[in-house]
Amino acid sequence: MESLGPGPELKFDASKKISLDPCGTGEYEYDFRIQPGKITGEHCSIPYKPVVTVTYYMACHKPGPMAGFVELPILQFYEADGKIDHGGNGRHEHEAEAELAR
């Protein structure tokens, strides 16, 4: 996931490989499960653009001659307990409130 603006990038790899089914429908699906603690307070308030890249291996275990990607909707993370934490963009709650008051 690419941060939009200043902030750390996030990269997650698929935990398993999906076998190609050349006689199937050509549709595949995969659920990305992000382990707890991979997204932290430093990621809060930063908008992210998720992009999934798809590649494949041929039966002989060599990379196939095609690849693709899909861009997903922008995501933004926040603390689930309602705590305001602007640590991800280098600002603190009182600084953001002071700016809003101006």
Side-chain angles (χ1 to χ4, degrees):
M1 292 198 296
E2 180 179 346
S3 65
L4 301 177
E9 307 292 314
L10 293 168
K11 182 179 178 182
F12 304 104
D13 292 320
S15 60
K16 70 175 190 171
K17 295 179 180 176
I18 299 171
S19 297
L20 290 176
D21 181 5
C23 297
T25 64
E27 296 178 7
Y28 300 89
E29 64 181 62
Y30 184 85
D31 287 328
F32 284 91
R33 306 260 177 188
I34 309 303
Q35 297 297 318
K38 295 289 185 180
I39 298 172
T40 66
E42 75 174 316
H43 304 109
C44 287
S45 78
I46 299 170
Y48 282 94
K49 180 71 174 177
V51 177
V52 177
T53 303
V54 180
T55 59
Y56 74 97
Y57 287 94
M58 297 184 293
C60 59
H61 305 288
K62 293 182 181 179
M66 293 188 307
F69 69 93
V70 90
E71 295 182 22
L72 301 170
I74 294 171
L75 297 175
Q76 188 169 8
F77 303 102
Y78 59 92
E79 294 288 337
D81 63 3
K83 174 184 155 192
I84 298 173
D85 180 359
H86 297 283
N89 62 11
R91 298 169 55 191
H92 297 283
E93 180 177 355
H94 66 279
E95 293 170 336
E97 288 175 354
E99 185 175 310
L100 288 173
R102 289 185 211 156

